[in-house]
Amino acid sequence: MATATATRQEGIFLPGLARAFESIDVSGDLATLQFAQACEAILPVFDKLGPVFAYAKSELITKRDSLEQAAARLPTLTALVAADKKAGTVTTKNSCSRNLHRLMSSISFISELLRNLSSDSACTLHTAAANAYNGTMAPMHNFFVRTAVKTSMYTLPTRAGFLESIGETEASARVHSAKFIPASTLVIRKAEALFGGTSMPKSDTTWTG
């Protein structure tokens, strides 16, 4: 019994996810390091969403790391995007700005996934994830990636199985989601403003590019 309890407690990450984004100061320029560190908190959920999303996690780690490494010379996201604009590399693959944009998309995906689950107790994980993906990450993906992701949706666990795997109940998930969703939305809106007038290209790789 003690082992089962410990495992369940270790699986809980939504409280940390909520704290990570609530702690980001949105009163001024967003801090690059703080944003990168908050992104680390979203990564565990991708392990629970099938092999395609698990592969995406490794890609997202690389993108997050690039921001963390750039933080010393580009301490704010404003400075980071401005530097790429000056260099003409905002949309260039693996530039910090493009990596930032992809991370924003992933944060929005998790936010929408949790929003969908919280707003309708009858919503399956498949429906919640599919709708969240279509509105966030799909526009950045090419046909082949979208097809792979949509096919993988059929291997998702049940809603109850997913919540159990992250150490949450229906009630606790709603509480933590209600903190994370508005906090992450504020951060994403502020970051999106940095890309005004910029059209990001679709992925040209087998995953996120």
Side-chain angles (χ1 to χ4, degrees):
M1 179 67 72
T3 301
T5 300
T7 301
R8 184 174 179 81
Q9 290 176 341
E10 290 169 1
I12 295 176
F13 74 91
L14 286 187
L17 185 61
R19 286 194 298 271
F21 282 86
E22 285 181 320
S23 68
I24 295 178
D25 183 3
V26 294
S27 63
D29 290 341
L30 298 174
T32 303
L33 183 59
Q34 194 173 37
F35 179 87
Q37 291 173 338
C39 285
E40 189 169 4
I42 74 169
L43 297 174
V45 74
F46 287 97
D47 290 327
K48 313 298 181 182
L49 296 174
V52 172
F53 283 107
Y55 176 71
K57 177 182 174 181
S58 65
E59 291 284 301
L60 294 172
I61 289 173
T62 299
K63 298 181 191 308
R64 189 207 75 85
D65 289 350
S66 74
L67 265 63
E68 187 171 66
Q69 292 163 9
R73 60 186 177 84
L74 300 168
T76 68
L77 296 186
T78 300
L80 183 146
V81 175
D84 277 333
K85 284 184 176 180
K86 183 177 181 179
T89 55
V90 173
T91 63
T92 301
K93 185 175 180 177
N94 293 326
S95 70
C96 285
S97 291
R98 180 158 161 165
N99 287 347
L100 166 61
H101 194 269
R102 294 305 198 249
L103 287 166
M104 289 161 52
S105 175
S106 300
I107 295 166
S108 294
F109 167 71
I110 299 302
S111 180
E112 287 304 307
L113 170 65
L114 294 174
R115 189 194 308 275
N116 293 340
L117 291 174
S118 298
S119 63
D120 182 0
S121 60
C123 182
T124 66
L125 181 62
H126 176 276
T127 298
N131 290 342
Y133 174 75
N134 288 337
T136 57
M137 299 174 79
M140 294 295 102
H141 291 165
N142 60 38
F143 170 79
F144 300 104
V145 173
R146 293 197 306 272
T147 299
V149 172
K150 289 178 181 179
T151 299
S152 77
M153 294 286 184
Y154 293 100
T155 68
L156 290 174
T158 63
R159 177 189 177 107
F162 172 68
L163 290 176
E164 182 177 4
S165 74
I166 62 173
E168 301 290 346
T169 64
E170 289 280 353
S172 67
R174 281 195 296 273
V175 170
H176 304 312
S177 296
K179 296 177 180 179
F180 166 69
I181 293 169
S184 62
T185 298
L186 283 174
V187 171
I188 295 304
R189 284 178 180 171
K190 196 170 182 72
E192 282 177 341
L194 302 176
F195 291 91
T198 301
S199 179
M200 281 289 173
K202 291 183 182 296
S203 168
D204 59 359
T205 69
T206 56
W207 177 241
T208 53

